Amino acid sequence: MMYVDRPSWPGRGRLWSHLISDVSLAELHAFAEMLGAPRRGFDRDHYDIPADRFAMAVWLGAQVVPSRDIVRLLRAANLRRPKHLSRPRPDSRDLALSVPDPRL
């Protein structure tokens, strides 16, 4: 089942919703593709959906839930991926530090 909270999270001059699946990340990605959400909207365990796509998400079958239920549903499905447990993305400084200096 797909779930979405109402657009209430401000960012970049817009309001955003969270879109999740309680089945799998594969289901989430497939639904987001049908919705036309770009992959860059994926954040570990959910998609950030702009307010203008909220009605389409509901029309496609996402169930509207309160924001407080999003994390509860992800945890119950064992799909929660909190930031503190996610592997950090290396930035250019990290990459520079991991390359051995040939002069040594």
Side-chain angles (χ1 to χ4, degrees), residues 16-35:
W16 299 81
S17 295
H18 300 106
L19 177 70
I20 66 163
S21 166
D22 68 349
V23 173
S24 69
L25 292 179
E27 179 188 53
L28 176 60
H29 292 306
F31 190 91
E33 187 174 328
M34 284 191 311
L35 185 59

Side-chain angles (χ1 to χ4, degrees), residues 47-68:
Y47 273 85
D48 293 321
I49 303 296
D52 61 352
R53 294 191 194 253
F54 175 79
M56 179 61 79
V58 173
W59 185 81
L60 287 171
Q63 182 177 339
V64 180
V65 296
S67 296
R68 69 179 176 273

Side-chain angles (χ1 to χ4, degrees), residues 83-95:
K83 273 188 183 178
H84 73 279
L85 295 178
S86 298
R87 291 177 39 192
R89 294 184 188 150
D91 64 15
S92 59
R93 290 171 294 178
D94 294 335
L95 293 175

